[in-house]
Amino acid sequence: PGEQYAGLILGKDGEPDHHLILLPGDEAELNWDDAKKWAKEQGGELPTRREQSLLYANLKDEFQGAWYWSGEAHERESGWAWYQTFYDGYQGCHQQDDELRARAVRRLTI
């Protein structure tokens, strides 16, 4: 109950990879490690950056106009992770100790 279908994520070759489901619930003021733990407790994971783009496109109204953690650490900057704002769709990175919001997703592999 409360889950919402967000859409289809394509793989690297352009073929369908998985369906994305947004889980109910929203948590505020979590650092990145705590956000990942919270998402797991909800039965899911933090979304990837690509998944956050899909969530912004298809389910923006299910989010507050705030910054939400992604599940992706920054590739080059140790101690930093990616986030997305849901008031304008911008993606950037924050120090993992900063406190942002979190939403959990689950994936249905095709």
Side-chain angles (χ1 to χ4, degrees):
E3 294 182 351
Q4 293 191 300
Y5 180 73
L8 180 67
I9 294 287
L10 300 178
K12 291 182 182 178
D13 59 0
E15 294 295 316
D17 187 60
H18 64 274
H19 296 279
L20 187 66
I21 309 297
L22 178 64
L23 300 180
D26 181 294
E27 194 65 31
E29 299 182 15
L30 295 174
N31 66 41
W32 191 60
D33 285 331
D34 289 342
K36 291 190 302 180
K37 290 175 193 169
W38 175 84
K40 191 170 190 172
E41 291 169 0
Q42 307 313 302
E45 298 177 58
L46 294 177
T48 66
R49 292 172 64 202
R50 288 181 65 216
E51 290 169 342
Q52 283 184 318
S53 293
L54 182 68
L55 291 165
Y56 181 79
N58 292 344
L59 294 176
K60 177 184 175 188
D61 292 342
E62 297 301 316
F63 291 79
Q64 294 187 29
W67 303 355
Y68 285 81
W69 285 118
S70 84
E72 293 184 40
H74 193 278
E75 305 81 22
R76 294 179 306 274
E77 298 293 331
S78 177
W80 290 70
W82 291 96
Y83 72 91
Q84 178 162 321
T85 63
F86 277 83
Y87 56 86
D88 66 2
Y90 175 80
Q91 291 187 345
C93 53
H94 260 284
Q95 291 183 339
Q96 293 173 3
D97 289 340
D98 289 343
E99 294 183 343
L100 307 180
R101 300 192 75 82
R103 290 294 302 259
V105 298
R106 66 183 179 91
R107 300 165 184 95
L108 299 174
T109 303
I110 298 174

